[in-house]
Coordinates of all heavy atoms in Angstrom, one line a residue:
M31 N 136.3 99.4 88.1 CA 134.8 99.3 88.0 C 134.5 97.8 87.9 O 135.0 97.1 87.0 CB 134.3 100.1 86.9 CG 132.8 100.0 86.8 SD 132.0 100.9 85.4 CE 132.4 102.6 85.8
N32 N 133.6 97.3 88.8 CA 133.3 95.9 88.7 C 132.1 95.7 87.7 O 131.6 96.6 87.2 CB 132.9 95.3 90.1 CG 131.7 95.8 90.7 OD1 130.7 96.2 90.0 ND2 131.7 96.0 92.0
E33 N 131.8 94.4 87.4 CA 130.8 94.1 86.4 C 129.4 94.7 86.8 O 128.7 95.2 85.9 CB 130.7 92.6 86.3 CG 129.8 92.1 85.2 CD 129.8 90.6 84.9 OE1 130.4 89.9 85.8 OE2 129.3 90.2 83.9
L34 N 129.1 94.7 88.1 CA 127.8 95.2 88.5 C 127.7 96.7 88.2 O 126.7 97.2 87.7 CB 127.5 94.9 90.0 CG 126.2 95.3 90.5 CD1 125.1 94.7 89.8 CD2 126.2 95.0 92.0
E35 N 128.8 97.4 88.5 CA 128.8 98.9 88.3 C 128.8 99.2 86.8 O 128.1 100.1 86.3 CB 130.1 99.5 88.9 CG 130.1 99.5 90.4 CD 131.4 99.9 91.0 OE1 132.5 99.5 90.4 OE2 131.4 100.6 92.0
R36 N 129.4 98.3 86.0 CA 129.4 98.5 84.5 C 127.9 98.3 84.0 O 127.5 99.1 83.1 CB 130.3 97.5 83.8 CG 131.7 98.0 83.8 CD 132.6 97.2 82.8 NE 132.4 95.7 82.9 CZ 133.1 94.9 83.7 NH1 134.0 95.5 84.5 NH2 132.9 93.6 83.7
W37 N 127.2 97.4 84.5 CA 125.8 97.1 84.1 C 124.9 98.3 84.5 O 124.0 98.7 83.8 CB 125.2 95.9 84.8 CG 125.8 94.6 84.2 CD1 126.5 94.4 83.1 CD2 125.7 93.3 84.9 NE1 126.9 93.1 83.0 CE2 126.4 92.4 84.0 CE3 125.1 92.9 86.0 CZ2 126.5 91.0 84.4 CZ3 125.2 91.5 86.3 CH2 125.9 90.6 85.5
A38 N 125.2 98.9 85.7 CA 124.4 100.0 86.2 C 124.7 101.3 85.5 O 123.8 102.2 85.4 CB 124.6 100.2 87.7
T39 N 125.9 101.4 84.9 CA 126.3 102.7 84.3 C 125.7 102.7 82.9 O 126.0 101.8 82.1 CB 127.8 102.8 84.3 OG1 128.3 102.7 85.6 CG2 128.2 104.1 83.7
G40 N 125.0 103.8 82.6 CA 124.5 104.0 81.2 C 125.6 104.6 80.3 O 126.8 104.7 80.7
S41 N 125.2 105.0 79.2 CA 126.2 105.6 78.3 C 126.5 107.0 78.8 O 125.8 107.6 79.6 CB 125.6 105.6 76.8 OG 124.7 106.6 76.7
S42 N 127.5 107.6 78.2 CA 127.9 109.0 78.6 C 127.4 110.0 77.6 O 128.0 111.1 77.5 CB 129.4 109.0 78.8 OG 130.0 108.7 77.6
S43 N 126.3 109.7 76.8 CA 125.9 110.7 75.9 C 125.2 111.9 76.6 O 124.7 111.7 77.7 CB 124.9 110.1 74.9 OG 123.7 109.6 75.5
I44 N 125.3 113.0 75.9 CA 124.7 114.3 76.5 C 123.2 114.2 76.6 O 122.6 114.5 77.6 CB 125.1 115.5 75.7 CG1 126.7 115.6 75.8 CG2 124.4 116.7 76.2 CD1 127.2 116.8 74.9
V45 N 122.6 113.7 75.6 CA 121.1 113.5 75.6 C 120.8 112.0 75.6 O 120.9 111.3 74.6 CB 120.5 114.2 74.4 CG1 119.0 114.0 74.4 CG2 120.8 115.6 74.3
P46 N 120.5 111.5 76.8 CA 120.2 110.0 76.9 C 119.0 109.6 76.1 O 118.0 110.4 76.1 CB 120.1 109.8 78.4 CG 119.7 111.1 79.0 CD 120.3 112.1 78.1
S47 N 119.0 108.4 75.6 CA 117.9 107.9 74.9 C 116.8 107.5 75.9 O 117.1 107.4 77.1 CB 118.3 106.7 74.0 OG 118.6 105.6 74.9
R48 N 115.6 107.2 75.4 CA 114.5 106.7 76.2 C 115.0 105.5 77.0 O 114.7 105.3 78.1 CB 113.3 106.5 75.4 CG 112.1 106.0 76.2 CD 110.9 105.9 75.3 NE 109.8 105.5 76.2 CZ 108.7 105.1 75.7 NH1 108.5 105.0 74.4 NH2 107.7 104.7 76.5
E49 N 115.6 104.6 76.2 CA 116.0 103.3 76.8 C 117.1 103.6 77.9 O 117.0 102.9 79.0 CB 116.6 102.4 75.7 CG 117.1 101.1 76.3 CD 117.6 100.2 75.1 OE1 116.8 99.6 74.4 OE2 118.9 100.2 75.0
E50 N 118.0 104.5 77.7 CA 118.9 104.8 78.8 C 118.3 105.4 80.0 O 118.7 105.1 81.1 CB 120.0 105.8 78.2 CG 120.9 105.1 77.2 CD 121.8 106.2 76.5 OE1 121.4 107.3 76.3 OE2 122.9 105.8 76.1
R51 N 117.3 106.3 79.8 CA 116.5 106.9 80.9 C 115.8 105.8 81.7 O 115.8 105.8 82.9 CB 115.6 108.0 80.4 CG 116.3 109.2 80.0 CD 115.3 110.4 79.8 NE 114.1 110.1 78.9 CZ 114.1 110.2 77.6 NH1 115.2 110.6 77.0 NH2 113.1 109.9 76.9
Q52 N 115.2 104.9 81.0 CA 114.5 103.7 81.6 C 115.4 102.9 82.4 O 115.1 102.5 83.5 CB 113.7 102.9 80.6 CG 112.5 103.6 80.0 CD 111.9 102.8 78.9 OE1 112.6 101.9 78.2 NE2 110.6 103.0 78.6
H53 N 116.6 102.7 81.8 CA 117.6 101.9 82.5 C 118.1 102.6 83.8 O 118.2 101.9 84.9 CB 118.8 101.6 81.6 CG 120.0 100.9 82.2 ND1 119.9 99.6 82.5 CD2 121.1 101.4 82.7 CE1 121.1 99.2 83.1 NE2 121.8 100.3 83.2
K54 N 118.3 103.9 83.7 CA 118.8 104.6 84.9 C 117.7 104.6 86.0 O 118.0 104.4 87.2 CB 119.1 106.1 84.5 CG 119.6 106.9 85.6 CD 120.0 108.3 85.2 CE 120.6 109.0 86.4 NZ 121.1 110.3 86.0
K55 N 116.4 104.7 85.6 CA 115.3 104.7 86.5 C 115.2 103.3 87.2 O 115.0 103.2 88.4 CB 114.0 105.0 85.9 CG 112.8 105.1 86.8 CD 111.6 105.5 86.1 CE 110.4 105.5 87.1 NZ 109.2 105.9 86.5
A56 N 115.4 102.3 86.4 CA 115.3 100.9 86.9 C 116.5 100.6 87.9 O 116.3 100.0 89.0 CB 115.4 99.9 85.8
V57 N 117.6 101.1 87.6 CA 118.8 101.0 88.5 C 118.5 101.7 89.8 O 118.8 101.2 90.9 CB 120.1 101.5 87.8 CG1 121.2 101.6 88.8 CG2 120.5 100.5 86.7
S58 N 118.0 103.0 89.7 CA 117.7 103.7 90.9 C 116.7 103.0 91.8 O 116.8 103.0 93.0 CB 117.1 105.1 90.5 OG 118.1 105.9 89.9
N59 N 115.6 102.4 91.1 CA 114.6 101.7 91.9 C 115.2 100.5 92.6 O 114.9 100.2 93.7 CB 113.5 101.2 91.0 CG 112.6 102.4 90.5 OD1 112.6 103.4 91.2 ND2 111.9 102.2 89.4
L60 N 116.1 99.8 91.9 CA 116.8 98.6 92.4 C 117.6 99.0 93.6 O 117.6 98.3 94.7 CB 117.6 97.9 91.4 CG 118.4 96.7 91.8 CD1 117.4 95.6 92.4 CD2 119.2 96.1 90.7
V61 N 118.3 100.1 93.5 CA 119.2 100.6 94.7 C 118.3 100.9 95.9 O 118.6 100.5 97.0 CB 120.0 101.8 94.2 CG1 120.6 102.5 95.5 CG2 121.1 101.4 93.2
R62 N 117.2 101.6 95.6 CA 116.2 101.9 96.8 C 115.7 100.6 97.4 O 115.6 100.5 98.6 CB 115.1 102.8 96.3 CG 115.5 104.3 96.2 CD 114.3 105.2 96.1 NE 113.5 104.9 94.9 CZ 113.7 105.3 93.7 NH1 114.8 106.0 93.4 NH2 112.9 105.0 92.7
E63 N 115.3 99.7 96.5 CA 114.7 98.4 97.0 C 115.7 97.7 97.9 O 115.4 97.1 98.9 CB 114.2 97.5 95.9 CG 113.0 98.1 95.2 CD 112.6 97.3 93.9 OE1 113.2 96.2 93.7 OE2 111.8 97.8 93.1
T64 N 117.0 97.7 97.4 CA 118.0 97.0 98.1 C 118.3 97.6 99.5 O 118.5 97.0 100.5 CB 119.3 97.0 97.3 OG1 119.0 96.3 96.0 CG2 120.5 96.2 97.9
Q65 N 118.3 99.0 99.5 CA 118.6 99.7 100.7 C 117.4 99.4 101.7 O 117.6 99.2 102.9 CB 118.7 101.2 100.5 CG 119.9 101.6 99.8 CD 119.9 103.0 99.3 OE1 118.9 103.6 99.0 NE2 121.1 103.6 99.2
F66 N 116.2 99.4 101.2 CA 115.0 99.1 102.1 C 115.1 97.7 102.6 O 114.8 97.5 103.8 CB 113.7 99.4 101.3 CG 112.5 99.2 102.1 CD1 112.2 100.1 103.1 CD2 111.6 98.2 101.9 CE1 111.1 100.0 103.9 CE2 110.4 98.1 102.6 CZ 110.2 99.0 103.7
A67 N 115.5 96.7 101.8 CA 115.6 95.4 102.2 C 116.6 95.3 103.3 O 116.5 94.6 104.3 CB 115.9 94.4 101.1
G68 N 117.8 96.0 103.2 CA 118.8 96.0 104.2 C 118.3 96.6 105.5 O 118.6 96.1 106.6
L69 N 117.5 97.7 105.4 CA 116.9 98.3 106.5 C 116.0 97.4 107.3 O 116.0 97.3 108.5 CB 116.2 99.6 106.1 CG 115.5 100.4 107.2 CD1 116.6 100.8 108.3 CD2 114.8 101.6 106.7
K70 N 115.2 96.6 106.5 CA 114.3 95.6 107.1 C 115.1 94.6 107.9 O 114.7 94.2 109.0 CB 113.4 95.0 106.1 CG 112.3 96.0 105.6 CD 111.4 95.5 104.5 CE 111.2 94.1 104.2 NZ 110.3 93.8 103.2
V71 N 116.1 94.1 107.3 CA 117.0 93.1 107.9 C 117.5 93.7 109.2 O 117.5 93.0 110.3 CB 118.1 92.6 107.0 CG1 119.1 91.8 107.8 CG2 117.5 91.8 105.9
D72 N 118.0 94.9 109.2 CA 118.6 95.5 110.4 C 117.5 95.7 111.5 O 117.8 95.5 112.7 CB 119.2 96.9 110.1 CG 120.5 96.8 109.2 OD1 121.0 95.6 109.2 OD2 120.9 97.8 108.7
A73 N 116.3 96.1 111.1 CA 115.2 96.3 112.0 C 114.8 94.9 112.7 O 114.6 94.8 113.9 CB 114.0 96.9 111.3
E74 N 114.8 93.9 111.9 CA 114.5 92.6 112.4 C 115.5 92.1 113.4 O 115.3 91.5 114.4 CB 114.2 91.6 111.3 CG 112.9 91.8 110.6 CD 112.5 90.7 109.7 OE1 112.7 89.5 110.1 OE2 112.0 91.0 108.6
A75 N 116.8 92.4 113.0 CA 117.9 92.0 113.9 C 117.8 92.7 115.2 O 118.0 92.1 116.3 CB 119.3 92.2 113.2
A76 N 117.5 94.0 115.2 CA 117.3 94.8 116.4 C 116.2 94.3 117.3 O 116.3 94.1 118.5 CB 117.1 96.3 116.0
L77 N 115.0 93.9 116.6 CA 113.9 93.4 117.3 C 114.3 92.1 118.0 O 114.0 91.8 119.1 CB 112.7 93.2 116.4 CG 111.5 92.6 117.1 CD1 110.9 93.4 118.2 CD2 110.4 92.4 116.0
T78 N 114.9 91.2 117.2 CA 115.3 89.9 117.7 C 116.3 90.0 118.9 O 116.1 89.4 119.9 CB 116.0 89.1 116.6 OG1 115.1 88.9 115.6 CG2 116.5 87.7 117.1
G79 N 117.2 90.9 118.8 CA 118.2 91.2 119.9 C 117.4 91.7 121.1 O 117.7 91.2 122.3
R80 N 116.5 92.6 121.0 CA 115.7 93.1 122.1 C 114.9 92.0 122.8 O 114.9 91.9 124.0 CB 114.8 94.2 121.6 CG 114.0 94.8 122.7 CD 114.9 95.6 123.7 NE 114.1 96.2 124.7 CZ 114.5 96.5 125.9 NH1 115.7 96.2 126.3 NH2 113.7 97.1 126.8
I81 N 114.3 91.1 122.0 CA 113.5 90.0 122.5 C 114.4 89.1 123.3 O 114.1 88.7 124.4 CB 112.8 89.3 121.4 CG1 111.7 90.1 120.8 CG2 112.2 87.9 121.9 CD1 111.0 89.5 119.5
M82 N 115.6 88.8 122.8 CA 116.5 87.9 123.5 C 117.0 88.5 124.8 O 117.1 87.8 125.8 CB 117.7 87.5 122.6 CG 117.3 86.6 121.4 SD 118.7 85.9 120.5 CE 119.5 87.4 119.9
E83 N 117.3 89.8 124.7 CA 117.7 90.5 126.0 C 116.7 90.4 127.0 O 116.9 90.1 128.2 CB 118.1 92.0 125.7 CG 119.4 92.1 124.9 CD 119.5 93.6 124.4 OE1 118.6 94.4 124.6 OE2 120.6 93.8 123.8
R84 N 115.4 90.7 126.6 CA 114.3 90.7 127.6 C 114.1 89.3 128.1 O 113.7 89.1 129.3 CB 113.1 91.3 127.0 CG 113.2 92.8 126.7 CD 113.5 93.6 127.9 NE 112.4 93.5 128.9 CZ 112.6 93.6 130.2 NH1 113.7 93.8 130.7 NH2 111.5 93.4 131.0
A85 N 114.2 88.3 127.2 CA 114.0 86.9 127.7 C 115.0 86.5 128.7 O 114.7 85.8 129.7 CB 114.1 85.9 126.5
V86 N 116.3 86.9 128.6 CA 117.3 86.7 129.6 C 117.0 87.4 130.9 O 117.0 86.8 132.0 CB 118.7 87.1 129.1 CG1 119.7 87.1 130.2 CG2 119.2 86.2 127.9
D87 N 116.5 88.6 130.8 CA 116.2 89.4 132.0 C 115.0 88.7 132.7 O 115.0 88.5 134.0 CB 115.7 90.8 131.7 CG 116.9 91.7 131.1 OD1 118.0 91.3 131.3 OD2 116.6 92.7 130.5
I88 N 114.0 88.3 132.0 CA 112.8 87.6 132.6 C 113.2 86.3 133.2 O 112.7 85.9 134.3 CB 111.7 87.5 131.6 CG1 111.1 88.9 131.3 CG2 110.6 86.6 132.0 CD1 110.2 89.0 130.1
D89 N 114.1 85.5 132.5 CA 114.5 84.2 133.0 C 115.2 84.4 134.4 O 115.0 83.7 135.3 CB 115.4 83.5 132.0 CG 115.7 82.1 132.4 OD1 114.7 81.3 132.6 OD2 116.9 81.8 132.6
Q90 N 116.1 85.4 134.4 CA 116.9 85.6 135.7 C 115.9 86.1 136.8 O 116.0 85.7 137.9 CB 118.0 86.7 135.4 CG 119.1 86.1 134.6 CD 120.1 87.2 134.2 OE1 119.9 88.4 134.3 NE2 121.2 86.8 133.6
Y91 N 115.0 86.9 136.4 CA 114.0 87.4 137.4 C 113.1 86.3 137.9 O 112.9 86.2 139.1 CB 113.1 88.5 136.7 CG 112.2 89.2 137.7 CD1 112.6 89.8 138.9 CD2 110.8 89.3 137.4 CE1 111.8 90.4 139.7 CE2 109.9 90.0 138.3 CZ 110.4 90.5 139.4 OH 109.6 91.1 140.3
R92 N 112.7 85.4 137.0 CA 111.9 84.2 137.5 C 112.7 83.4 138.5 O 112.2 83.0 139.5 CB 111.6 83.3 136.3 CG 110.9 82.0 136.7 CD 110.8 81.0 135.5 NE 112.0 80.7 134.8 CZ 112.9 79.9 135.1 NH1 112.8 79.2 136.3 NH2 114.0 79.7 134.4
K93 N 114.0 83.1 138.2 CA 114.8 82.3 139.1 C 114.9 83.0 140.4 O 114.9 82.3 141.5 CB 116.2 82.1 138.5 CG 116.1 81.1 137.3 CD 117.5 81.1 136.6 CE 117.5 80.2 135.4 NZ 118.7 80.2 134.6
S94 N 115.1 84.3 140.4 CA 115.2 85.0 141.7 C 113.9 85.0 142.5 O 113.9 84.9 143.7 CB 115.8 86.4 141.5 OG 114.8 87.3 141.3
L95 N 112.8 85.1 141.8 CA 111.5 85.1 142.5 C 111.2 83.7 143.1 O 110.7 83.6 144.2 CB 110.4 85.5 141.5 CG 110.3 87.0 141.2 CD1 109.1 87.2 140.1 CD2 110.0 87.9 142.4
A96 N 111.5 82.7 142.3 CA 111.2 81.3 142.8 C 112.1 81.0 144.0 O 111.6 80.2 144.8 CB 111.4 80.3 141.6
G97 N 113.3 81.5 144.0 CA 114.1 81.2 145.2 C 114.3 79.8 145.5 O 114.4 79.5 146.7
G98 N 114.3 78.9 144.6 CA 114.6 77.5 144.9 C 113.3 76.7 145.1 O 113.3 75.5 145.2
D99 N 112.1 77.4 145.2 CA 110.8 76.7 145.4 C 110.4 76.1 144.0 O 110.1 76.9 143.1 CB 109.8 77.7 145.9 CG 108.4 77.1 146.1 OD1 108.0 76.2 145.4 OD2 107.7 77.6 147.1
E100 N 110.4 74.8 143.9 CA 110.2 74.1 142.7 C 108.8 74.4 142.1 O 108.5 74.6 140.9 CB 110.5 72.6 142.8 CG 110.7 71.9 141.5 CD 111.8 72.6 140.6 OE1 112.8 73.0 141.1 OE2 111.6 72.8 139.4
T101 N 107.8 74.4 143.0 CA 106.4 74.6 142.6 C 106.2 76.0 142.1 O 105.7 76.2 141.0 CB 105.4 74.4 143.8 OG1 105.6 73.1 144.3 CG2 104.0 74.6 143.3
L102 N 106.7 77.0 142.8 CA 106.7 78.4 142.3 C 107.5 78.6 141.0 O 107.0 79.3 140.1 CB 107.2 79.3 143.4 CG 107.2 80.8 143.1 CD1 105.8 81.3 142.7 CD2 107.7 81.6 144.2
N103 N 108.6 77.9 140.9 CA 109.4 78.0 139.7 C 108.6 77.4 138.5 O 108.6 78.0 137.4 CB 110.7 77.2 139.8 CG 111.6 77.3 138.6 OD1 111.9 78.5 138.2 ND2 112.0 76.2 138.0
M104 N 107.8 76.4 138.7 CA 107.0 75.8 137.6 C 105.9 76.8 137.2 O 105.6 77.0 136.0 CB 106.4 74.5 137.9 CG 107.5 73.4 138.0 SD 106.9 71.7 138.3 CE 105.4 71.8 139.2
V105 N 105.3 77.4 138.1 CA 104.2 78.4 137.8 C 104.8 79.6 137.1 O 104.3 80.0 136.0 CB 103.5 78.9 139.1 CG1 102.6 80.1 138.9 CG2 102.8 77.8 139.8
L106 N 105.9 80.1 137.6 CA 106.5 81.3 136.9 C 107.1 80.9 135.5 O 107.1 81.7 134.6 CB 107.6 81.8 137.8 CG 107.2 82.4 139.1 CD1 108.4 82.9 140.0 CD2 106.2 83.6 138.9
T107 N 107.6 79.7 135.4 CA 108.1 79.2 134.1 C 106.9 79.3 133.0 O 107.2 79.7 131.9 CB 108.7 77.8 134.2 OG1 109.8 77.8 135.0 CG2 109.1 77.3 132.8
R108 N 105.7 78.9 133.4 CA 104.6 78.9 132.5 C 104.3 80.4 132.0 O 104.1 80.6 130.8 CB 103.4 78.3 133.1 CG 103.5 76.8 133.3 CD 102.2 76.2 133.9 NE 101.1 76.4 133.0 CZ 99.8 76.2 133.3 NH1 99.5 75.8 134.5 NH2 98.9 76.4 132.4
I109 N 104.4 81.3 133.0 CA 104.2 82.7 132.6 C 105.4 83.2 131.7 O 105.1 83.9 130.7 CB 104.2 83.6 133.9 CG1 102.9 83.2 134.7 CG2 104.2 85.1 133.6 CD1 102.9 83.7 136.1
E110 N 106.6 82.8 132.0 CA 107.7 83.2 131.2 C 107.6 82.6 129.8 O 107.8 83.3 128.8 CB 109.0 82.6 131.8 CG 110.3 83.0 131.0 CD 111.5 82.4 131.7 OE1 111.5 82.1 132.8 OE2 112.6 82.4 130.9
L111 N 107.1 81.4 129.7 CA 107.0 80.8 128.3 C 105.9 81.5 127.5 O 105.9 81.6 126.3 CB 106.6 79.3 128.4 CG 107.8 78.4 128.9 CD1 107.4 77.0 129.1 CD2 109.0 78.5 128.0
G112 N 104.9 82.1 128.3 CA 103.9 82.9 127.6 C 104.5 84.1 127.0 O 104.1 84.5 125.8
F113 N 105.4 84.7 127.7 CA 106.2 85.9 127.1 C 106.9 85.4 125.8 O 106.9 86.1 124.8 CB 107.1 86.5 128.1 CG 108.2 87.4 127.4 CD1 107.8 88.7 127.1 CD2 109.4 86.9 127.2 CE1 108.7 89.5 126.4 CE2 110.4 87.8 126.6 CZ 110.0 89.0 126.2
V114 N 107.6 84.3 125.9 CA 108.4 83.9 124.8 C 107.5 83.6 123.6 O 107.8 84.0 122.5 CB 109.3 82.6 125.2 CG1 109.9 82.0 124.0 CG2 110.3 83.0 126.2
D115 N 106.4 82.9 123.8 CA 105.5 82.6 122.7 C 104.9 83.9 122.1 O 104.9 84.1 120.9 CB 104.3 81.8 123.3 CG 103.3 81.4 122.2 OD1 103.8 80.8 121.2 OD2 102.1 81.7 122.3
K116 N 104.6 84.9 123.0 CA 104.0 86.1 122.4 C 105.1 86.9 121.7 O 104.9 87.5 120.6 CB 103.5 87.0 123.6 CG 102.8 88.3 123.1 CD 102.1 89.0 124.2 CE 101.3 90.2 123.6 NZ 100.5 90.8 124.6
A117 N 106.3 86.9 122.2 CA 107.4 87.6 121.5 C 107.7 86.9 120.1 O 108.0 87.6 119.2 CB 108.7 87.5 122.4
Q118 N 107.6 85.6 120.1 CA 107.8 84.9 118.8 C 106.7 85.3 117.8 O 107.0 85.5 116.6 CB 107.9 83.4 119.0 CG 109.2 83.0 119.6 CD 109.2 81.4 119.8 OE1 108.2 80.9 120.2 NE2 110.3 80.8 119.5
R119 N 105.5 85.4 118.3 CA 104.4 85.8 117.4 C 104.6 87.2 116.9 O 104.4 87.6 115.7 CB 103.0 85.7 118.1 CG 102.6 84.3 118.2 CD 101.1 84.1 118.7 NE 100.7 85.0 119.8 CZ 100.7 84.7 121.0 NH1 101.2 83.5 121.4 NH2 100.3 85.5 122.0
L120 N 105.0 88.1 117.8 CA 105.3 89.5 117.4 C 106.4 89.5 116.4 O 106.3 90.2 115.4 CB 105.7 90.3 118.6 CG 106.2 91.7 118.4 CD1 105.0 92.6 117.9 CD2 106.8 92.3 119.7
Q121 N 107.4 88.7 116.6 CA 108.6 88.7 115.6 C 108.1 88.2 114.3 O 108.4 88.8 113.2 CB 109.7 87.8 116.2 CG 110.9 87.7 115.3 CD 111.9 86.8 115.8 OE1 111.6 85.8 116.5 NE2 113.2 87.0 115.6
R122 N 107.3 87.1 114.2 CA 106.8 86.6 113.0 C 105.9 87.6 112.3 O 105.9 87.8 111.1 CB 106.1 85.3 113.2 CG 107.0 84.1 113.3 CD 106.2 82.8 113.3 NE 105.3 82.6 114.3 CZ 105.5 82.0 115.5 NH1 106.7 81.6 115.8 NH2 104.6 81.9 116.4
G123 N 105.1 88.3 113.1 CA 104.1 89.3 112.5 C 104.8 90.6 112.1 O 104.2 91.4 111.5
F124 N 106.1 90.7 112.4 CA 106.8 91.9 112.0 C 107.0 92.0 110.5 O 107.5 93.0 110.0 CB 108.2 91.9 112.8 CG 108.9 93.2 112.7 CD1 108.4 94.4 113.3 CD2 110.1 93.3 112.0 CE1 109.1 95.6 113.2 CE2 110.8 94.5 111.9 CZ 110.3 95.6 112.5
G125 N 106.7 91.0 109.8 CA 106.9 91.0 108.4 C 108.0 90.1 107.9 O 108.4 90.2 106.7
S126 N 108.6 89.3 108.8 CA 109.7 88.5 108.4 C 109.3 87.4 107.4 O 108.3 86.8 107.6 CB 110.3 87.9 109.7 OG 111.4 87.0 109.3
E127 N 110.2 87.3 106.4 CA 110.0 86.1 105.5 C 111.0 85.0 105.8 O 111.1 84.1 105.1 CB 110.2 86.6 104.1 CG 109.1 87.6 103.7 CD 109.2 88.1 102.3 OE1 109.9 87.5 101.5 OE2 108.5 89.1 102.0
F128 N 111.8 85.3 106.9 CA 112.7 84.2 107.4 C 111.9 83.1 108.1 O 111.0 83.4 108.8 CB 113.7 84.8 108.3 CG 114.6 85.9 107.8 CD1 114.6 87.2 108.3 CD2 115.4 85.6 106.7 CE1 115.4 88.2 107.8 CE2 116.2 86.6 106.1 CZ 116.2 87.9 106.7
P129 N 112.3 81.9 107.9 CA 111.6 80.8 108.6 C 111.8 80.9 110.1 O 112.9 81.3 110.5 CB 112.2 79.5 108.0 CG 113.4 79.9 107.3 CD 113.3 81.4 107.0
S130 N 110.8 80.5 110.8 CA 110.9 80.5 112.3 C 111.4 79.2 112.8 O 111.1 78.2 112.3 CB 109.7 80.9 113.0 OG 108.8 81.7 112.3

């Protein structure tokens, strides 16, 4: 048993004291909060991955549409950058506390 597990484990008395019940409840709340924080991180990673995948798809599509025409490429690049900007706003608005 590691130190963290020892801290989380209450006594083994048959009738736990009020303090032991409070401790057990606090530990349960902490476990739930930690699981939820991990879920939020996983959700943000999934959203970030999806945004990156779509950005790659859109970049390749822009290049194929422009077909070497530099003027058309510049116009389409502005549209592509609009997507990237909007995706970044969506990502920031997702609730991330990570710096952008």
Side-chain angles (χ1 to χ4, degrees):
M31 181 180 296
N32 67 34
E33 187 173 12
L34 184 59
E35 290 171 323
R36 280 195 309 276
W37 290 344
T39 305
S41 77
S42 59
S43 65
I44 296 174
V45 179
S47 69
R48 180 177 183 194
E49 183 178 277
E50 289 170 329
R51 288 190 309 271
Q52 288 173 337
H53 176 76
K54 184 176 181 174
K55 184 177 179 180
V57 168
S58 294
N59 288 340
L60 179 59
V61 167
R62 277 194 305 280
E63 289 171 15
T64 302
Q65 290 170 331
F66 185 66
L69 180 60
K70 285 176 22 179
V71 168
D72 290 346
E74 288 194 39
L77 176 62
T78 299
R80 181 66 176 155
I81 290 169
M82 290 189 302
E83 289 169 358
R84 294 302 297 148
V86 168
D87 293 343
I88 290 170
D89 189 58
Q90 291 171 348
Y91 187 52
R92 174 191 50 82
K93 290 174 185 176
S94 85
L95 286 177
D99 181 326
E100 201 51 44
T101 302
L102 182 56
N103 187 54
M104 289 185 335
V105 170
L106 295 176
T107 296
R108 289 181 64 190
I109 295 168
E110 181 180 344
L111 291 175
F113 164 77
V114 171
D115 183 54
K116 186 171 184 171
Q118 285 179 320
R119 286 193 313 269
L120 176 68
Q121 184 184 28
R122 282 192 296 271
F124 191 68
S126 174
E127 296 179 17
F128 299 119
S130 332

